[in-house]
Amino acid sequence: LTRAVRAASRASRCALAVERDQMALRIPPTVADVPGYQLQRPPLPLIYTPRSCGGAAPSCDSLLCMHKRELRRASRNASYKAALCGRCECALCLACAKPRNLWKAPSGQTLETVTTRTDPPFSFAYNPADADMKRMREQLVLEPVLTHAWHEATWRCCGSGGLVVDVGGNFGWYTLYSLALGCRVVVFEPVPLFQEALRLGVTLNPGFAARV
């Protein structure tokens, strides 16, 4: 009996892993798949001016920043990549670009969507004018410490299809992350502008709408 339970648990984890891999490789929906929302333009790279630039303009020193050794190390170490892209002479290199999409919501507000740097990743929609989103746009992770704590507290429960209740969903970061981890979610958000962003985020992630 114990072996059977372990085998079933292993099969469940494998199935979830396959689903997550498929999500990570997903193709973004077309405009027709998101009724009422208009895609403003193709994905563009976000370009930031690191603090290391001082008052100078960012650039890309390809010999220094795009060397195979540097790119290989950056692909394996997120902290090293953040440090590399934080250098003024590397900020404009392609390896440091962060793709985004701009959308016009039914109410007329402008929303931005990015793919998060979480495990697993998901598409996240938010209003770029919101001051609380500034750091998230740079790191592609909102509230890193709390997000890590949320992962540690919920991933086992979500792996077995657990239920999360999110009261005050805001743009839906924890709702979407819980869905990405495999949970079902009940979310309450009274503000219409936040509802629009949350609805777009749910729609852009295949399989999420059926569990929220």
Side-chain angles (χ1 to χ4, degrees):
L1 179 60
T2 302
R3 289 182 180 177
V5 171
R6 288 177 178 171
S9 176
R10 221 169 16 245
S12 176
R13 288 197 301 269
C14 289
L16 183 60
V18 170
E19 181 182 355
R20 289 176 182 172
D21 289 343
Q22 291 173 343
M23 289 168 54
L25 296 173
R26 62 190 178 277
I27 299 174
T30 63
V31 177
D33 295 325
V34 192
Y37 295 83
Q38 296 180 340
L39 183 63
Q40 296 298 290
R41 58 193 184 198
L44 296 176
L46 291 176
I47 299 175
Y48 299 100
T49 302
R51 294 179 181 178
S52 60
C53 289
S59 60
C60 176
D61 185 335
S62 58
L63 294 178
L64 175 66
C65 309
M66 299 294 286
H67 191 279
K68 288 183 179 180
R69 182 182 63 254
E70 299 294 325
L71 294 178
R72 190 181 304 113
R73 185 175 177 185
S75 68
R76 298 173 180 173
N77 188 322
S79 297
Y80 183 79
K81 181 176 181 180
L84 181 71
C85 294
R87 298 167 64 173
C88 190
E89 63 271 24
C90 300
L92 294 188
C93 294
L94 185 60
C96 297
K98 300 178 177 70
R100 68 164 176 177
N101 278 315
L102 285 179
W103 301 79
K104 184 69 71 176
S107 69
Q109 74 166 322
T110 296
L111 297 175
E112 193 170 272
T113 58
V114 295
T115 299
T116 63
R117 192 179 290 164
T118 53
D119 181 22
F122 58 91
S123 293
F124 178 57
Y126 56 93
N127 188 324
D130 191 303
D132 292 337
M133 295 295 108
K134 182 178 180 180
R135 180 170 294 182
M136 190 285 304
R137 295 173 84 227
E138 298 177 2
Q139 300 179 345
L140 300 182
V141 176
L142 180 66
E143 301 174 334
V145 175
L146 292 179
T147 296
H148 176 73
W150 187 265
H151 177 276
E152 294 303 297
T154 61
W155 72 269
R156 289 185 180 86
C157 180
C158 288
S160 58
L163 176 66
V164 167
V165 178
D166 186 0
V167 180
N170 200 265
F171 292 121
W173 177 268
Y174 292 102
T175 286
L176 295 170
Y177 193 31
S178 299
L179 291 166
L181 288 168
C183 268
R184 294 170 293 122
V185 177
V186 175
V187 55
F188 298 90
E189 175 48 63
V191 180
L193 295 180
F194 286 147
Q195 291 177 8
E196 279 190 330
L198 181 52
R199 191 176 298 113
L200 178 60
V202 168
T203 305
L204 289 175
N205 290 277
F208 280 18
R211 291 185 283 115
V212 65

